[in-house]
Amino acid sequence: KGGGGGGGDMIASELHRSVGTTLECIGWLSKGCAKLCNAQSSLLQRALDIAVSALALLPRISVVTTSGGKSSSILSSTLLFLHRMLDCLGSGVLPALPQALSRMIAATSPPSSTSSSSPSCDVKGVTEVVTLTNQVIARFKTDSELVMVNVLPDLTRAVLRALDERDRDGLPLIHVKASQEGRELKDLYKIWLQLLQTSCIGNLLHIFTIPQLEGLLQPTVLSVCQGMSSNKG
C-alpha cells in the first residue's frame, strides 16, 4: 500500500517490471508495425486500459520513490506509451485521457505528510504532463475540448504552484540562474507558453474562462509575465 521508504520502492519496482516495461515494449513495437496502429486494435485498447489502471497507484508511490525531482519509472513508461497511442489510436485515445492525465497530475504532488521544507511538486513530472497535454491539443484541437475541460483546472494549478517555487530567501526559483531547479522551471515555463499558444491556435483558449478555472485566469496571465522577466538577460 503506498507507504514510504523501502515498501514504496518495492511497489514501484514491481509495478514497473510488470506493467511499465510492457507498455514501453508495446510503444516501441507500434513504431515498426503499421498494422498494429489502428483505432480498432484490441491489443492497444487493452494496454491503454491497463496503463490508466496502473496510474491509479501513482499518487501513493511516485513521490516517495523518486529522487532529485525525477518522475517515477512507471510514470515515464506510461507517458511514453500515451505519446505513441495518440498516433496509433487517434481519437480512440481521447476517452481515456481525462482519467489518465488527472492521475498523472496528482502524481506530481507530494503526499499530505510531506514536510513543509520539501518541494511542493515534481517539476519535471509537471513538465512532462504539460508536454503530453500540449500534444493532445495540437493533434485534436477542438475535438480535445472535453479532455481539456476535465484536465486543465488541475493542470493549471500544478503549473502555477511549480512556477511559484521559492528558495530559502523567498526568491522565486525560476529567477535563480545556474541552478538545476531554475533550469527545470524555465523548461516548464517554455512548454507552458507553448500550451497556451496551442490552445489559442486550436480555438480552445475560451476554456480558461469556464467556472472550474474561476480565479486562475489572472494568475495564468501573471505567470506568463513573470516568466518573461525571469528570462531577461
Side-chain angles (χ1 to χ4, degrees), residues 84-227:
R84 283 299 304 143
M85 292 307 99
L86 297 184
D87 291 329
C88 292
L89 294 177
S91 60
V93 76
L94 290 176
L97 288 179
Q99 193 173 44
L101 289 170
S102 294
R103 288 177 174 177
M104 286 190 283
I105 295 166
T108 66
S109 301
S112 57
S113 60
T114 299
S115 66
S116 58
S117 61
S118 300
S120 63
C121 62
D122 172 5
V123 175
K124 185 177 179 181
V126 176
T127 302
E128 290 175 338
V129 177
V130 174
T131 300
L132 176 59
T133 305
N134 184 55
Q135 186 180 354
V136 171
I137 299 173
R139 182 175 179 86
F140 300 110
K141 298 181 172 59
T142 55
D143 288 341
S144 67
E145 181 168 351
L146 183 58
V147 176
M148 293 304 104
V149 167
N150 282 278
V151 169
L152 206 53
D154 285 341
L155 183 60
T156 301
R157 292 185 185 95
V159 171
L160 294 179
R161 184 169 57 244
L163 293 178
D164 195 45
E165 288 281 357
R166 296 174 182 270
D167 64 13
R168 294 179 180 177
D169 298 322
L171 181 68
L173 285 175
I174 195 170
H175 291 279
V176 179
K177 300 184 183 298
S179 72
Q180 180 64 27
E181 294 86 353
R183 286 191 291 270
E184 289 183 353
L185 285 168
K186 285 181 173 61
D187 287 342
L188 172 59
Y189 172 73
K190 290 175 184 177
I191 190 62
W192 178 235
L193 283 187
Q194 288 182 31
L195 185 145
L196 296 176
Q197 182 182 35
T198 306
S199 298
C200 184
I201 295 173
N203 295 317
L204 289 171
L205 206 57
H206 65 277
I207 292 178
F208 283 90
T209 65
I210 63 176
Q212 296 94 314
L213 277 163
E214 184 177 359
L216 292 176
L217 181 58
Q218 183 174 350
T220 297
V221 175
L222 286 175
S223 74
V224 175
C225 297
Q226 291 169 353

Side-chain angles (χ1 to χ4, degrees), residues 5-95:
D9 289 335
M10 290 178 63
I11 294 173
S13 179
E14 179 58 32
L15 190 62
H16 183 249
R17 279 198 301 268
S18 60
V19 178
T21 302
T22 302
L23 293 177
E24 290 178 14
C25 289
I26 294 175
W28 290 115
L29 179 63
S30 68
K31 288 189 174 183
C33 185
K35 293 182 178 180
L36 190 61
C37 293
N38 65 81
Q40 286 73 44
S41 172
S42 58
L43 171 62
L44 295 185
Q45 288 289 353
R46 175 58 178 158
L48 181 61
D49 291 341
I50 293 173
V52 175
S53 298
L55 287 171
L57 295 175
L58 281 176
R60 288 179 282 169
I61 67 171
S62 65
V63 177
V64 178
T65 57
T66 59
S67 60
K70 294 182 179 179
S71 302
S72 67
S73 296
I74 184 62
L75 177 58
S76 297
S77 298
T78 306
L79 279 163
L80 172 64
F81 176 75
L82 288 175
H83 276 291
R84 283 299 304 143
M85 292 307 99
L86 297 184
D87 291 329
C88 292
L89 294 177
S91 60
V93 76
L94 290 176

